[in-house]
Amino acid sequence: MLVLLPPSEGKAPSGRGAPLKPEALSLPGLTAAREAVLTELVELCTGDEDKAREVLGLSEGLRGEVAKNAELRTAGARPAGEIYTGVLYDALGLASLDASAKRRAARSLLVFSGLWGAVRVTDRIPSYRCSMGVKLPGLGALGAHWRTPMASVLPEVAGDALVLDLRSAAYAAAWKPKGEVAGRTASVRVLHAPTRKVVSHFNKATKGRIVRSLLTTGAAPKGPAELVEALRDLGYVVEAQAPAKAGQAWSLDVLVTEVH
């Protein structure tokens, strides 16, 4: 199973570890595209601070993020699973998984990123600020920048496994599974049952809990239909819509009333 996750806006501090080694990151087919974003982002953030804040969509209170980006090549790096924080990652609780579940997480989780394209939770990266919605002066919109390299690399990464897509819309734009891969893809949204609306906290926390449940139980569904049954066995209320035609993904709605 391959699980596609969004990143978090907030990040943990980089710490004092060894600096980034771009060539050591997973998915080496993305290396050139990563280097292009990294080079322009560092250049942008070492120049006019106000321009950098405008491009990155940062408020005055987040001015320090510009200086952090300027030091990406020399800052300490930590596993991505420790860098990403927030509601989804708190609910996922990677650090508290047992050894077997951590191994499954290392194999199956892929975090999408405006800067890195996609990384595994074991990849060592520095803390940064660069969302997929950013439009860099030279490269343009990052969602468009990543589409070509992703289209080449991600089908091979997915192999013949189920793809569980938990990304938000901005990150889903960077790679849309097609053809046979799409038929093995389940795109999930979480709805507040009484209103049948997406509520940010319910959505993020429940997605984190779903991933944790699958990792801790060792569930290994082979396709979307098996995933629906696995989630129901884990106590989730799931409504599933199979694709109307070949080359489309399944749509899964998980209904929740409250999140603990």
Side-chain angles (χ1 to χ4, degrees):
M1 179 171 56
L2 181 66
V3 182
L4 311 181
L5 296 174
S8 57
E9 283 297 318
K11 316 285 192 305
S14 292
R16 299 180 180 275
L20 169 74
K21 293 182 178 179
E23 70 280 4
L25 297 177
S26 300
L27 284 61
L30 300 180
T31 299
R34 287 169 177 152
E35 185 63 34
V37 181
L38 179 61
T39 297
E40 184 169 356
L41 183 60
V42 170
E43 182 178 347
L44 172 70
C45 292
T46 53
D48 186 322
E49 187 178 85
D50 289 331
K51 178 182 178 181
R53 282 202 303 114
E54 180 181 357
V55 170
L56 297 174
L58 300 177
S59 66
E60 174 67 30
L62 294 174
R63 183 176 289 271
E65 299 293 283
V66 174
K68 183 167 69 175
N69 281 348
E71 298 175 353
L72 284 172
R73 292 192 183 275
T74 57
R78 297 166 59 189
E82 297 177 13
I83 290 290
Y84 293 116
T85 60
V87 175
L88 188 154
Y89 291 90
D90 285 347
L92 172 52
L94 285 169
S96 62
L97 294 174
D98 64 29
S100 296
K102 285 181 178 177
R103 287 193 293 271
R104 286 190 282 271
R107 292 193 302 267
S108 63
L109 304 188
L110 204 61
V111 184
F112 275 61
S113 162
L115 174 52
W116 314 115
V119 293
R120 297 197 183 276
V121 292
T122 51
D123 283 328
R124 295 178 62 83
I125 60 173
S127 184
Y128 68 96
R129 192 69 173 240
C130 184
S131 72
M132 191 65 80
V134 164
K135 184 176 182 179
L136 292 174
L139 290 176
L142 291 180
H145 170 75
W146 286 112
R147 282 185 200 128
T148 297
M150 288 282 192
S152 174
V153 171
L154 266 294
E156 182 178 350
V157 175
D160 60 359
L162 164 71
V163 178
L164 173 54
D165 191 353
L166 301 177
R167 297 172 296 168
S168 54
Y171 292 90
W175 180 58
K176 182 179 180 181
K178 295 181 179 180
E180 192 267 338
V181 178
R184 290 184 278 105
T185 298
S187 180
V188 174
R189 63 178 184 171
V190 178
L191 301 181
H192 182 219
T195 63
R196 299 195 68 84
K197 293 181 179 180
V198 175
V199 180
S200 180
H201 180 81
F202 285 88
N203 180 53
K204 294 177 182 178
T206 302
K207 285 179 176 179
R209 292 172 63 205
I210 285 172
V211 177
R212 184 178 179 89
S213 296
L214 293 170
L215 292 173
T216 55
T217 60
K222 301 299 184 183
E226 293 87 346
L227 173 65
V228 172
E229 293 307 311
L231 292 177
R232 287 174 176 163
D233 288 344
L234 290 168
Y236 294 97
V237 178
V238 183
E239 295 178 353
Q241 182 175 341
K245 58 182 180 181
Q248 295 180 336
W250 284 56
S251 296
L252 272 57
D253 287 342
V254 177
L255 306 181
V256 297
T257 56
E258 59 182 348
V259 176
H260 300 287

